[in-house]
Amino acid sequence: MQVLKAPAEVQAWARQQAREGKRIGLVPTMGYLHEGHLSLLRKARSLCDSLVMTLFVNPSQFGPGEDLDRYPRDEDGDLSKAMACGVDLVFMPAAADMYPKGFQTKVSLGALTEPMCGASRPGHFDGVATVVSKLFLITRPDLAVFGQKDFQQLAVIRRLVSDLNFGIEIIAGPIVREEDGVAMSSRNVYLSPDARKQARCLVRGLRAAEQRLAEGTRDASTLLAAARAVIGAAPLAKLDYLELRDAETLESVRTVSKPAVLAVAAKFGHTRLIDNLVLQA
Ligand code: AMP
C-alpha cells in the first residue's frame, strides 16, 4: 500500500493506472475509521482494480465553532485498517497541499444544499462539494463509494457529478450500526456514557415512524410526531432537525407516496449526530 501526500504524485499514479487499463475506485474519508468506513472500502474493493482511500479532515467543511480542532484522529490505526481492506493507495494531504496560498475557487450547489444540514451548517456543502471535486480530479476514479449515513451529502455528490459531467459512477453503501442500532460515527467517541445510551433515541424514533407507516399512516406530520415523541423522551437530545423529504429531490413531503427519507440531526452536549431511514411507500 502506497501513502502519498502530494496531489501531483497521486495524479501521476492515477494516469499510470488508467494507462494499464485499471479501473480506479475511490472512498473519501476523514479518518478515524470504523466499520462503516470499512464496509465502503470492501464494497469498492470488489468493484475496482486499484483502490484509493483519501484521508483528509477538510477544514473548509467545518464552520466556526465546530469540531475541526478536536476531530478524532488515529493515523496509524487508519493505515493498518486500510491495508487490511486491500487499499492500494492512501492519499493523505496536508491542508496546505489542498488549499495552497492564493486558493480561491468554490464549488457551490443550489436548492439541494439549503435544507437540513445545509440550514444548520452554513457553507458546509460548499466545502464538501469543493473538496470532493478536487479529490475526484486528483484521484481520477471510475467509481466512488459514499455512505448513506450522510444522505444529503450523497444527494449533493450525485448532483455534482451529473451537473459537472465528472463521469464517475457513484455507489451508495448502507448505514452500518452498532449493536444497539446507533449509527456508527467517528464522533460517537465524544459522547459521555449517558449520552451514548440516549443516542439510541434517534434510530428508535426513526423506527417508530417506520412502524406507523407499516401500519398504514402516510401522513408526514403524524409520522414525524411519532419520531419526535421518542426523541423528545431523551433529555440529553437537543433536536436540530427532524424532516421527511423526497429521497431523490429532498423536497418536503406531506404524504409518503414514493420513497422518502426521514432524517434527523441532534446534539448531545457538544456532539452533533445525524441519522436517517429511507421509508418505502
Ligand atoms: P467521514 O469520515 O465521516 O467523512 O465519512 C466517510 C464516508 O463514510 C462517507 O461516505 C460517510 O457517509 C461514510 N460513513 C460514515 N459513517 C458511516 C456508517 N455508519 N455506515 C456507512 N457509511 C458511513
Side-chain angles (χ1 to χ4, degrees):
M1 185 175 82
Q2 284 193 71
V3 180
L4 294 175
K5 288 179 186 288
E9 283 178 21
V10 177
Q11 270 172 334
W13 176 90
R15 284 207 189 89
Q16 182 57 31
Q17 304 303 304
R19 271 195 293 274
E20 292 172 15
K22 291 187 174 149
R23 218 169 130 70
I24 299 178
L26 168 68
V27 178
T29 80
M30 297 203 299
Y32 211 71
L33 302 182
H34 51 65
E35 203 41 53
H37 299 110
L38 305 189
S39 71
L40 306 184
L41 290 172
R42 290 186 200 110
K43 190 185 265 283
R45 178 67 284 174
S46 71
L47 297 170
C48 70
D49 303 305
S50 302
L51 177 55
V52 187
M53 180 183 92
T54 61
L55 200 172
F56 181 56
V57 181
N58 174 37
S60 77
Q61 69 190 68
F62 288 79
E66 290 189 355
D67 56 350
L68 173 63
D69 294 337
R70 55 188 198 102
Y71 197 82
R73 290 164 206 253
D74 176 18
E75 220 173 273
D76 293 344
D78 288 347
L79 293 179
S80 57
K81 286 174 190 163
M83 186 127 88
C85 288
V87 170
D88 296 299
L89 173 70
V90 177
F91 174 44
M92 207 171 66
D97 296 321
M98 292 294 274
Y99 304 111
K101 200 163 174 284
F103 184 92
Q104 53 184 279
T105 300
K106 190 156 81 180
V107 180
S108 192
L109 286 84
L112 216 43
T113 63
E114 282 163 14
M116 302 160 68
C117 288
S120 34
R121 305 184 68 188
H124 169 69
F125 286 115
D126 287 355
V128 169
T130 304
V131 80
V132 170
S133 299
K134 283 175 67 72
L135 295 175
F136 284 164
L137 292 165
I138 293 166
T139 66
R140 303 174 174 235
D142 296 280
L143 63 96
V145 185
F146 290 86
Q148 248 173 324
K149 156 93 188 320
D150 298 85
F151 196 91
Q152 189 175 14
Q153 171 174 281
L154 181 60
V156 164
I157 285 160
R158 285 193 197 283
R159 187 78 256 163
L160 168 73
V161 165
S162 164
D163 287 356
L164 296 187
N165 303 93
F166 272 105
I168 297 168
E169 187 185 350
I170 301 300
I171 292 160
I175 301 177
V176 177
R177 298 179 177 283
E178 303 284 359
E179 246 171 54
D180 64 354
V182 170
M184 288 194 181
S185 164
S186 306
R187 291 186 167 101
N188 288 349
V189 294
Y190 297 147
L191 298 168
S192 68
D194 264 0
R196 173 61 188 78
K197 254 189 219 155
Q198 291 190 30
R200 293 177 201 161
C201 73
L202 301 183
V203 64
R204 287 185 178 165
L206 300 179
R207 285 179 181 159
E210 185 183 46
Q211 178 61 30
R212 293 298 296 270
L213 179 69
E215 289 161 7
T217 307
R218 288 173 179 273
D219 172 58
S221 54
T222 312
L223 296 172
L224 289 166
R228 202 174 292 115
V230 176
I231 297 165
L236 295 178
K238 300 282 167 275
L239 197 58
D240 175 356
Y241 66 78
L242 172 70
E243 302 199 32
L244 188 60
R245 290 182 172 263
D246 184 284
E248 220 169 278
T249 63
L250 297 190
E251 282 164 8
S252 255
V253 297
R254 290 183 168 195
T255 312
V256 179
S257 56
K258 50 189 184 124
V261 61
L262 181 58
V264 65
K267 273 190 141 182
F268 295 79
H270 293 297
T271 306
R272 184 174 177 279
L273 301 182
I274 57 172
D275 200 350
N276 69 80
L277 207 58
V278 175
L279 303 181
Q280 301 299 337

